[in-house]
Each structure stands twice: as C-alpha cells, then as structure tokens.
Amino acid sequence: MSQVLVITSGKGGVGKTTTTANIGTGLALYKHRKVVMVDADIGLRNLDVVMGLENRIVYDLVDVTHGMCRLKQALIKDKRFENLYLLPAAQTKDKTAVTPDQMKKLCEDLRKEFDYVLIDCPAGIEQGFKNAIAGADRAIIVTTPEVSAVRDADRIVGLLEASGFEEPKLIINRIRPDMVKRGDMMNIDDMIDILAIELLGVVPEDEKIVISTNRGEPAVADEYSRAGQAYRNITRRIEGEDVPLMTIEEVEPTFMDKLRMFFGLKARRVKGEGARWTF
Amino acid sequence: MDFLKIFGREDVTSKDIAKERLRLILVHDRANVSPKFLEMIKGQLINIVSDYMEIEEEGMDIKLTRIKKDEETTVPALVANIPIRRMKHLAKI
Ligand SMILES: Nc1ncnc2c1ncn2[C@@H]1O[C@H](COP(=O)(O)OP(=O)(O)OP(=O)(O)O)[C@@H](O)[C@H]1O
Ligand SMILES: [Mg+2]
C-alpha cells in the first residue's frame, strides 16, 4: 500500500529538504521501493539541487497541475538510484499557482505509480503549507534543538491535528552531542517531553551533510556519514522496523572518521542490495 | 522547576533555561491556537462553581494573560472574573 508523507517544520532552514532527499534515497536504496520526491516549495526550489538533478529539469509541478504536460514527462528519474524520481517545483511562479485540491489530485495520481510519495513542504504556515499537506496521509515534523524551532514545530502539530492528521512523527536534526553533554543544548527527552509526539529519529550535526549537498549526493548513501547513518535508521523505521536510537557515542565521529576527514578521503557510496547498512 | 529560580542562578545550564522558556511560550501559543480551549475551561468552571453559588454567566470573563511576578518578570496566568448573584446554602458548611 502506498504512502504519501509530508515533511514539514514551520520554521525555515531546519532541514526539511535535506531530510526529504535522504529519506527518499534511503527508501529507494534499502528495499528498492519506488519513490517520488515532490518539491512543493514553489518559487524557491531546492530539492533538485540537493539531489544533484538540477540540470535535468524540463517540466515542473505547476506545468503538471496546469495541464501543460503529462505527469510522466515532468518526473525526473535518478540514474544513480534505481526507482527514485523527483518532481521539481516551479521556480518562476509563486505558491498561489497551485491549490490544495490540485495537490490532492496530484498525490492521488502519484500514489498509483509509487510506493512512497514524499512531499518537501516550504517553511511557514500559509498557502504553501496548506498545499503540501493537502494530499498527504502522514506527516513528519523536522525541528532543531532550539527554542524557536521547537515552538514552530508545536504550532505545526496543532495545525496538523486541526486538519485531521493523526500522530505526526518528529525528527530532531542538527543535534550536537558535545553541546548536549555540556548542558548547552536541549536533549531528546527535553524536546519529546515538551512536544509530546513520537520520535522518528535524531540526526546529528554533520559536516558531511554540507559536503554531500555540495556534490549533490545524499548523505544516506555515504557509509561513513553519521547523519547518513541516522537517516538509514529512519528509513528502516519508516519501513516498520524497530531500530534503537543511536547513542551519543555512536553519533559522534569516531577516531577513524576524523582520520579519514583529516586525510580528505572521499565518502564511500553504499552499493548493491542492502549493502553496507552497518548499524 | 521554577522559572524564577532558574534565571538568576549560575549553576543552571543554558538548556534548562531554554526548556523553561519554551514551556512558558507554549502555554500561550497553545491556548491562542485553540479558541475552543478557553470555552472548555469556562464550561467546566461554571459547573464546579455553580454547586456553591449562583453566578452571572453573561458577566463572566476568562482570559489567559500575563501577570507580574516581580519587577522584571511576568508569568502566564489564567484570570477568571465570575460575578456572583447569590451564595447557595451549602456555602455555610
Ligand atoms: N544534520 C545537519 N548537519 C549539518 N548541516 C545541516 C544538517 N541538516 C541540514 N543542514 C544544512 O542546513 C541548511 C538548511 O537545510 P535545508 O535546506 O534542508 O532546510 P529546509 O528546512 O529545507 O529549509 P527551507 O525552509 O529554506 O526550505 C542546509 O545548508 C543544510 O546543508
Ligand atoms: Mg527546503
């Protein structure tokens, strides 16, 4: 049965697009699910760049919803990861170019072709947010361990509940174990305690995210990335597996990681069936 | 943990401050987002208070606000103004 998941946050810049790219790639890699990632951030498209697919765009989401092209024509197939597709956002239009009803229709059409439809929601709670959640079954809320981000996440929980969403799940991004240990960053329990929603995963702050974004290759495919490891765990949880949270020690780069970084060794791509899903 | 104790102290970590601030911010946010919330409290207050006194429901005023705790700090507070028409005999007990 296919699922439509929206990745949202309220506050901007907390890692929605990064999360969408990594979960999308993770699901396609892990069990070869057929996945489409939809960039709903119309006017500020990003997901194509994070995925390194920006040079392959011909048509976009607005073209599809306005009947300017067929859905299949606008879907970009990722040649590196089998079964992974992207539906890019329009860059020249704005958020009012699409309505919630059109998004619902789009999600229904995509659902027929894919196991997972992931929607990268724009920041804010206005039209773009309403569009992004319109056709979704479930929601994943991304936050960072900061007062303003958690506050906005709480607001989103309320809005999602009001729109009939059941049990949104939380991803805490950019956690820094060293700061948590010092007591200078809210820990996982603090945030779960306050938001009172279920945790889907915790992603550490990781410079590999910046490097992988530079390259246009999601960190989930990088065997040595701690954030990539966190996204691999999240992928498995979405697949229904019971995967324990990484401990603080596991989250921190190991001595070998640091050594590799020091010598500037390149990331190793996860290849083949379920290969290198080290936990 | 008490809000006021947390601020002036040196041994409190910044994440404790963050958590306490967040908790207080959300008291307001959550009440503002849901207009049903105050109506719910109002209904239940009427029920409880009516056992002991006859009240003037039209004149009732309930709001979530901030009150001064000391010179510099305010804290969230639920303020209820309930005009009483008559005490019930029960109150003599
Ligand atoms: N775990 C992480 N470690 C390091 N950097 C990160 C991490 N997660 C995200 N970033 C960086 O934070 C920035 C914002 O991330 P991203 O674009 O995914 O956020 P967003 O929520 O989609 O933003 P917007 O609201 O603008 O759409 C990017 O530069 C990204 O590389
Ligand atoms: Mg984004």
Side-chain angles (χ1 to χ4, degrees), chain B residues 43-83:
Chain B
Q44 288 176 22
L45 270 180
I46 291 173
N47 279 344
I48 295 173
V49 175
S50 298
D51 283 350
Y52 305 98
M53 51 197 92
E54 212 172 276
I55 60 177
E56 214 169 278
E57 282 184 34
E58 311 79 60
M60 238 176 121
D61 179 26
I62 292 189
K63 57 177 180 259
L64 204 65
T65 173
R66 304 190 76 94
I67 55 168
K68 266 196 156 180
K69 186 115 184 187
D70 59 32
E71 275 305 299
E72 274 159 30
T73 40
T74 61
V75 289
L78 179 72
V79 175
N81 253 311
I82 310 176

Side-chain angles (χ1 to χ4, degrees), chain A residues 16-17 41 46 120-121:
Chain A
K16 295 177 291 298
T17 302
D41 201 345
N46 263 184
D120 181 14
C121 181

Side-chain angles (χ1 to χ4, degrees), chain A residues 46-116:
Chain A
N46 263 184
L47 188 52
D48 54 327
V49 178
V50 173
M51 288 300 301
L53 296 172
E54 69 274 14
N55 294 329
R56 302 201 26 221
I57 297 177
V58 183
Y59 296 109
D60 58 48
L61 188 153
V62 175
D63 294 326
V64 175
T65 52
H66 289 203
M68 309 294 283
C69 70
R70 280 177 294 114
L71 178 53
K72 287 239 164 73
Q73 291 177 293
L75 292 174
I76 299 169
K77 182 175 164 40
D78 194 315
K79 290 176 181 145
R80 302 158 299 179
F81 310 104
E82 206 193 334
N83 286 343
L84 185 62
Y85 293 78
L86 170 74
L87 179 57
Q91 180 70 345
T92 50
K93 317 272 183 356
D94 70 39
K95 293 178 169 94
T96 57
V98 182
T99 65
D101 279 340
Q102 288 172 329
M103 281 299 287
K104 245 188 224 165
K105 166 83 167 55
L106 177 70
C107 291
E108 286 316 309
D109 292 344
L110 289 170
R111 193 195 288 278
K112 289 174 200 146
E113 303 290 325
F114 293 91
D115 298 318
Y116 288 97

Side-chain angles (χ1 to χ4, degrees), chain A residues 12-18 41 123 173-174 203-206 209-210 213:
Chain A
V14 297
K16 295 177 291 298
T17 302
T18 305
D41 201 345
N173 188 24
R174 308 195 77 155
V203 182
E205 172 82 26
D206 184 355
I209 291 284
V210 180
T213 307

Side-chain angles (χ1 to χ4, degrees), chain A residues 237-256:
Chain A
R237 290 187 196 112
I238 292 175
E239 286 284 3
E241 288 176 40
D242 192 6
V243 185
L245 281 181
M246 289 160 83
T247 63
I248 288 230
E249 286 69 30
E250 286 172 310
V251 164
E252 260 170 334
T254 61
F255 177 70
M256 280 306 286

